[in-house]
Amino acid sequence: MGQSKAEFLEQFGGDYGYPDAPRGIDELRAAEFKRLEGMVYLDHAGATLYSEAQMADVARDLMSNVYGNPHSQNDSSMATSDIVTSVRHQVLKYFNASPRDYKCIFTSGATAALKLVGECFPWSRDSCYMYTMENHNSVLGIREYALSKGATVSAVDVEEVVDPSNNHESDRFFKVSKHSNQRRGDDLLLHNYQNGSLTAISGNNLNLFAFPSECNFSGHKFNLNLVKLIKEGKFMDFSSQQRGQWMVLIDAAKGCTTEPPNLSLYPADFVVCSFYKIFGYPTGLGALIVKNEAASLLNKTYFSGGTVAASIADIDFVQKRKGIEQALEDGTISFLSISSLQYGFKIIDILTISAIARHTASLATYVRNKMLELKHNNEKNVCIIYGQASKANYLKMGPTITFNLKREDGTWFGYREVEKLASLSGIHLRTGCFCNPGACAKYVGLSHSDLVSNFEAGHVCWDDNDIINGKPTGAVRISFGYMSTYEDAEEFLKFLQSSFVSKPVGLKNGYMVNTDTFNLVDDWRQQAISDIRLKSITIYPVKSCQGFSVQSWPLTTGGLKYDREWLLQGSGGEVLTQKKVPELSSICTLIDLELGKLFLESPKCKDKLQICLLENLTLLSAEVDVYGQRYEVQSYGDKVNSWFSGAIGRPCTFVRCSSSKYRSCTINGRRDRLCRDTRSKLSFVNEGQLLLVSEDSISDLNSRLSSSNGNGKQGVLVDAMRFRPNIVVYGSTPYNEDNWKRLHIGDAYFTSMGGCNRCQMINLYQSSGQVIKSKEPLATLASYRRKQGKILFGVLLNYEDGMEGEDDAIVERWLKVGQEVYPST
């Protein structure tokens, strides 16, 4: 045992690892979660993991028993009904809810349970729907039902204030900040009234207050005393000012994984949960725990199989069932999934929920404290943690840590950069706003105008726009589950230390190395006689398929002639690449300029395919969007498409670039470089027309790959072709190409568009006819070739011929292997 773990156990040993359970955490992890070997899973707030024993029990049950549709009276149906009744009681027991006072309604998840409350709640124009700012979108969505019925909606910030001289619950109070009321316009309400969907004001109007037991963004746990205060009208002045009865909804989807609300102490009217959050399986199943009195107030309009006692098809006659479960559950419930819940609860009962809470809190507290200790060279903090609790009060936080990372100069690392680097290290975490816009805006510091301008700038959920106008648009979240270990925590901390904490800039092999950034140097001088020469030329006619090497090749205004002039589209119009369809890498290509033909060959196709380069295609398809660039394309007939469909094993369409729509712009700044969207014709390339890679940079990368492999095994070395370059040069020094602004080869001139941002595609390689995915070389490149969230290797070039108002007569120039390469600034 290392010193760090010994120190951890000295502080948290009483809480960590289930000391009172039949098996400790190490034995549990080794026996039940072998699939996690080599992986650090830290997204338990998104979905925790099922155990092997749990799934074995489920499989054994289903293979040993016959469960029929419960809407019948035969033996298999009765067996199902008995299981469902038993599991309902297990769910109520988990929330310490008496079956005399509460019912368990099965739904397809917590979101469906919330939707059920929203659509069935008896809203009126005198009702109020109030919710805390820290709430999931699924809770916010209820306001659409309230507003459409004329109710008032308002959000509040709730801060718990504790008297430091007295730690009794009764001495706590809440500081409440109310946001402006939301109400639909009179014209819409009039329309709803005329259509009979607006409920009249009555003296018995009902109001609803919603809050999470634990915020899924920050991990902040809300004090459940709110339930009593709201229901008694003592929640500051707001609830007492609103006429009618207040009801309380708790979103326990996140909180119930370690601390389910105790409904005997905090008698909320509605509680929602999803079971995969608790023990991993099954997905698509949740529950609404509803108080009997509250259930009787819900007005369900729709009826379905299982919800009616009697109905007549051709007249307006229906009698709904009186039972709460039958009235609110539509159709046949997911009875096989419900049956499997008993095996999830079996694990929770063995470990106990209180032990799970202490175990996960110990890991989260340890990591949180270590993150706060991380400093850059200039002593500035690396980690900004949101919603952190005091060290003495760590059980008041869920096992969740949400944060952003800062560079040494105070700028932010983008959360997508963090996520991509984590993936390379085998760490699974979550980024974004986690469907909690109120908490995200509150903690990250985004105003209404920020949120609107971000959206207008194109930012939507799950995209890559992680920094806009110098501000993060979301955050990074890690979360621990009942099977998480100290080793998981330590691996994550090592990842932060190695990837984001600045180190002194040193020299390795004579070249500047810095894990945060690398600097371009402007002291390159063009030489009269160059030692740099062109080693190889490769053409890739079809995007993501194999290329072919040549000794010489002509240039056109679009770069190398015929390079990436064709691509494949899926049946839905999407562009197919090796990342989605690895089979593309097995398709060989060759162009014979004299014959004017493109030849294609696949191990899955008996015959080769020949396509005439000068064929006049008349069938025009719609424009194609390729990474934000719009193209007009020509498509081929069924024979060609069938060949490619057979080669990759899925329906596809083969298209040829007809023209691209381009714009021009210039970035005024350092070295006055042209922007990527410069005025030049593009085929189906991602950014620049050509990609240049230096053989000397490849050699340096391979030396790093060899030295970083400390386990005694042969390191995986790469050749230039792993990066799919068009031209490879040699005779320079490693990474000197970063500094080239312009270069000429023979009588052709090129403009450097800057470094090429690399992705997971360079980790794919073929072995024995199979496409293999590894972590290298991207992981090693990430350790020293990162700049502003991009991992750069190679440079993008644009051919200058035909630009800047030259003569209309364009002379065809050729590149030839062995030509001298003259770079300059």
Side-chain angles (χ1 to χ4, degrees):
M1 182 187 299
Q3 182 179 352
S4 296
K5 187 169 184 178
E7 293 173 355
F8 168 80
L9 291 176
E10 183 178 352
Q11 183 178 1
F12 298 105
D15 294 328
Y16 174 78
Y18 312 110
D20 299 324
R23 291 188 295 182
I25 182 61
D26 293 334
E27 187 180 352
L28 175 71
R29 179 70 172 255
E32 303 292 349
F33 297 94
K34 293 186 281 289
R35 64 189 187 277
L36 288 179
E37 185 176 351
M39 181 190 305
V40 178
Y41 186 85
L42 295 175
D43 189 25
H44 295 273
T48 199
L49 304 175
Y50 50 81
S51 73
E52 292 182 23
Q54 177 186 355
M55 300 310 296
D57 285 342
V58 171
R60 192 179 304 111
D61 183 9
L62 296 180
M63 289 188 290
S64 304
N65 296 288
V66 177
Y67 296 118
N69 191 310
H71 295 164
S72 188
Q73 299 295 318
N74 60 55
D75 288 348
S76 59
S77 298
M78 295 304 291
T80 300
S81 296
D82 290 343
I83 287 289
V84 170
T85 298
S86 174
V87 174
R88 289 193 203 273
H89 282 90
Q90 274 189 296
V91 175
L92 293 176
K93 180 184 175 183
Y94 188 69
F95 291 93
N96 202 14
S98 169
R100 293 188 301 272
D101 301 321
Y102 285 90
K103 293 293 183 290
C104 169
I105 313 300
F106 287 116
T107 65
S108 64
T111 294
L114 292 164
K115 182 174 181 285
L116 181 63
V117 173
E119 67 186 4
C120 297
F121 195 83
W123 305 107
S124 75
R125 283 175 288 168
D126 214 21
S127 295
C128 178
Y129 176 47
M130 189 179 291
Y131 53 85
T132 56
M133 283 289 288
E134 295 182 53
N135 255 312
H136 196 278
N137 266 328
S138 298
V139 177
L140 269 58
I142 292 176
R143 73 186 182 196
E144 294 301 304
Y145 292 106
L147 290 169
S148 67
K149 296 290 186 179
T152 301
V153 173
S154 60
V156 294
D157 283 301
V158 178
E159 180 184 355
E160 186 178 353
V161 181
V162 181
D163 182 354
S165 63
N166 197 332
N167 209 26
H168 293 295
E169 289 287 328
S170 58
D171 295 309
R172 297 167 184 247
F173 65 94
F174 300 94
K175 180 181 177 183
V176 182
S177 303
K178 185 169 177 287
H179 294 253
S180 58
N181 286 342
Q182 306 168 53
R183 199 150 195 169
R184 286 277 153 87
D186 292 338
D187 53 343
L188 180 59
L189 294 180
L190 177 61
H191 172 78
N192 289 346
Y193 176 76
Q194 291 170 342
N195 284 275
S197 60
L198 196 62
T199 306
I201 296 175
S202 69
N204 299 317
N205 63 288
L206 296 167
N207 311 293
L208 183 63
F209 188 95
F211 70 97
S213 60
E214 179 185 322
C215 175
N216 76 308
F217 184 95
S218 67
H220 168 69
K221 289 184 179 180
F222 281 77
N223 190 322
L224 297 183
N225 279 314
L226 279 171
V227 174
K228 292 181 179 179
L229 293 175
I230 293 163
K231 290 179 73 67
E232 294 170 2
K234 298 178 181 178
F235 183 59
M236 302 301 287
D237 295 327
F238 303 127
S239 59
S240 59
Q241 290 174 358
Q242 183 71 32
R243 290 182 297 172
Q245 177 185 349
W246 277 94
M247 308 186 83
V248 179
L249 182 156
I250 298 177
D251 176 10
K254 174 63 179 74
C256 72
T257 60
T258 56
E259 190 178 354
N262 186 335
L263 295 180
S264 68
L265 297 177
Y266 310 105
D269 299 284
F270 310 100
V271 178
V272 303
C273 70
S274 285
F275 296 107
Y276 74 96
K277 302 271 190 182
I278 306 173
F279 35 68
Y281 180 89
T283 56
L285 184 65
L288 169 64
I289 315 302
V290 58
K291 209 170 185 182
N292 293 341
E293 296 90 335
S296 66
L297 298 170
L298 297 180
N299 300 321
K300 197 165 193 302
T301 303
Y302 176 75
F303 70 87
S304 64
T307 66
V308 297
S311 66
I312 300 177
D314 59 343
I315 64 171
D316 183 10
F317 176 86
V318 62
Q319 289 295 316
K320 297 181 181 178
R321 290 186 178 272
K322 301 299 182 185
I324 294 172
E325 297 98 329
Q326 293 90 343
L328 295 176
E329 291 173 347
D330 288 325
T332 302
I333 55 178
S334 185
F335 56 89
L336 295 181
S337 292
I338 292 169
S339 172
S340 71
L341 294 180
Q342 56 191 316
Y343 305 109
F345 282 119
K346 177 181 175 181
I347 297 169
I348 303 301
D349 291 341
I350 291 173
L351 298 177
T352 75
I353 196 67
S354 60
I356 291 173
R358 295 193 304 273
H359 170 79
T360 53
S362 68
L363 290 170
T365 303
Y366 172 74
V367 172
R368 192 178 288 115
N369 294 341
K370 289 293 184 182
M371 289 174 68
L372 292 173
E373 293 173 3
L374 291 177
K375 306 281 185 182
H376 287 298
N377 276 331
N378 58 5
E379 293 300 311
K380 289 188 176 180
N381 289 330
V382 177
C383 306
I384 306 300
I385 298 178
Y386 304 116
Q388 56 187 302
S390 65
K391 292 184 179 181
N393 205 23
Y394 69 87
L395 282 172
K396 287 295 180 184
M397 293 292 292
T400 296
I401 306 171
T402 301
F403 61 94
N404 272 309
L405 302 174
K406 279 195 166 184
R407 296 186 176 87
E408 193 172 21
D409 62 3
T411 59
W412 299 95
F413 288 102
Y415 58 75
R416 283 290 289 130
E417 176 182 358
V418 179
E419 186 172 32
K420 289 174 183 176
L421 293 174
S423 294
L424 290 174
S425 299
I427 297 173
H428 300 241
L429 44 74
R430 182 88 176 267
T431 63
C433 276
F434 327 121
C435 300
N436 196 324
C440 185
K442 172 183 175 180
Y443 289 111
V444 178
L446 298 172
S447 65
H448 288 169
S449 60
D450 289 332
L451 296 170
V452 172
S453 64
N454 288 352
F455 177 74
E456 291 174 346
H459 172 56
V460 295
C461 296
W462 306 341
D463 68 10
D464 287 346
N465 292 316
D466 50 11
I467 304 287
I468 297 180
N469 296 325
K471 273 187 177 182
T473 60
V476 184
R477 184 184 73 188
I478 63 169
S479 48
F480 297 92
Y482 76 80
M483 75 298 296
S484 297
T485 63
Y486 167 81
E487 286 71 25
D488 291 333
E490 204 58 50
E491 282 299 314
F492 173 72
L493 291 170
K494 289 178 183 176
F495 161 68
L496 289 184
Q497 179 74 49
S498 64
S499 300
F500 302 102
V501 179
S502 67
K503 301 174 181 64
V505 176
L507 294 178
K508 182 172 182 179
N509 299 335
Y511 310 116
M512 183 175 291
V513 179
N514 188 314
T515 59
D516 290 325
T517 183
F518 55 89
N519 297 312
L520 300 175
V521 185
D522 275 330
D523 59 357
W524 181 263
R525 298 287 186 271
Q526 181 174 349
Q527 302 172 359
I529 300 175
S530 177
D531 295 326
I532 308 171
R533 291 187 178 271
L534 183 56
K535 181 179 181 180
S536 67
I537 304 168
T538 306
I539 315 300
Y540 304 89
V542 184
K543 190 174 181 68
S544 271
C545 293
Q546 289 185 26
F548 63 95
S549 297
V550 293
Q551 288 298 304
S552 61
W553 200 258
L555 291 158
T556 69
T557 54
L560 289 166
K561 195 168 188 177
Y562 301 124
D563 185 57
R564 279 164 282 209
E565 195 159 309
W566 291 265
L567 62 73
L568 288 163
Q569 289 182 283
S571 55
E574 71 280 10
V575 175
L576 300 183
T577 66
Q578 278 190 34
K579 283 185 278 188
K580 300 175 183 176
V581 187
E583 293 82 1
L584 286 169
S585 64
S586 65
I587 298 177
C588 300
T589 63
L590 177 68
I591 288 178
D592 188 316
L593 292 176
E594 290 187 2
L595 293 177
K597 288 186 177 182
L598 165 64
F599 296 90
L600 299 117
E601 188 174 358
S602 166
K604 293 187 178 181
C605 297
K606 180 180 178 181
D607 299 321
K608 294 182 180 180
L609 181 66
Q610 297 183 29
I611 293 177
C612 180
L613 299 177
L614 303 178
E615 182 179 352
N616 185 21
L617 298 176
T618 58
L619 182 60
L620 289 176
S621 67
E623 287 187 345
V624 174
D625 186 293
V626 182
Y627 304 111
Q629 185 82 16
R630 299 295 297 175
Y631 298 88
E632 289 181 358
V633 299
Q634 295 174 306
S635 58
Y636 288 81
D638 291 342
K639 180 181 177 181
V640 171
N641 293 333
S642 295
W643 189 93
F644 278 103
S645 297
I648 65 173
R650 66 172 68 188
C652 61
T653 303
F654 192 54
V655 299
R656 183 178 187 177
C657 178
S658 173
S659 66
S660 64
K661 299 186 176 183
Y662 48 77
R663 299 173 298 277
S664 62
C665 66
T666 304
I667 295 176
N668 293 318
R670 190 171 182 271
R671 300 207 283 179
D672 292 326
R673 281 200 170 178
L674 292 174
C675 75
R676 294 292 172 85
D677 202 11
T678 191
R679 188 183 185 282
S680 57
K681 181 184 175 184
L682 294 174
S683 54
F684 292 131
V685 295
N686 292 356
E687 294 181 281
Q689 292 177 337
L690 295 86
L691 172 62
L692 176 148
V693 165
S694 162
E695 188 79 5
D696 308 281
S697 300
I698 294 285
S699 297
D700 179 74
L701 170 60
N702 279 326
S703 70
R704 295 173 191 272
L705 287 168
S706 298
S707 62
S708 65
N709 188 52
N711 56 12
K713 297 181 181 178
Q714 178 66 39
V716 177
L717 303 183
V718 298
D719 62 16
M721 291 303 105
R722 179 74 75 89
F723 300 92
R724 295 177 65 83
N726 291 110
I727 54 179
V728 179
V729 300
Y730 69 96
S732 181
T733 54
Y735 314 111
N736 236 329
E737 62 271 19
D738 294 338
N739 307 302
W740 298 347
K741 180 179 178 182
R742 199 163 178 259
L743 66 157
H744 75 264
I745 305 172
D747 54 358
Y749 285 81
F750 302 87
T751 300
S752 172
M753 311 306 292
C756 180
N757 185 22
R758 310 313 312 212
C759 66
Q760 296 268 5
M761 192 163 166
I762 64 173
N763 289 343
L764 301 175
Y765 66 96
Q766 283 201 342
S767 176
S768 303
Q770 298 294 316
V771 178
I772 309 298
K773 182 179 180 180
S774 69
K775 294 180 181 178
E776 295 294 358
L778 195 59
T780 295
L781 286 173
S783 69
Y784 74 106
R785 294 288 300 173
R786 256 168 59 220
K787 186 176 180 66
Q788 297 295 314
K790 296 181 178 180
I791 303 171
L792 303 179
F793 192 83
V795 292
L796 297 163
L797 304 177
N798 273 1
Y799 178 45
E800 293 184 5
D801 195 36
M803 295 173 62
E804 300 177 4
E806 292 183 6
D807 197 327
D808 288 343
I810 296 176
V811 178
E812 187 176 70
R813 297 183 172 89
W814 288 60
L815 290 182
K816 298 179 182 179
V817 170
Q819 285 178 322
E820 294 179 339
V821 178
Y822 294 90
S824 70
T825 58

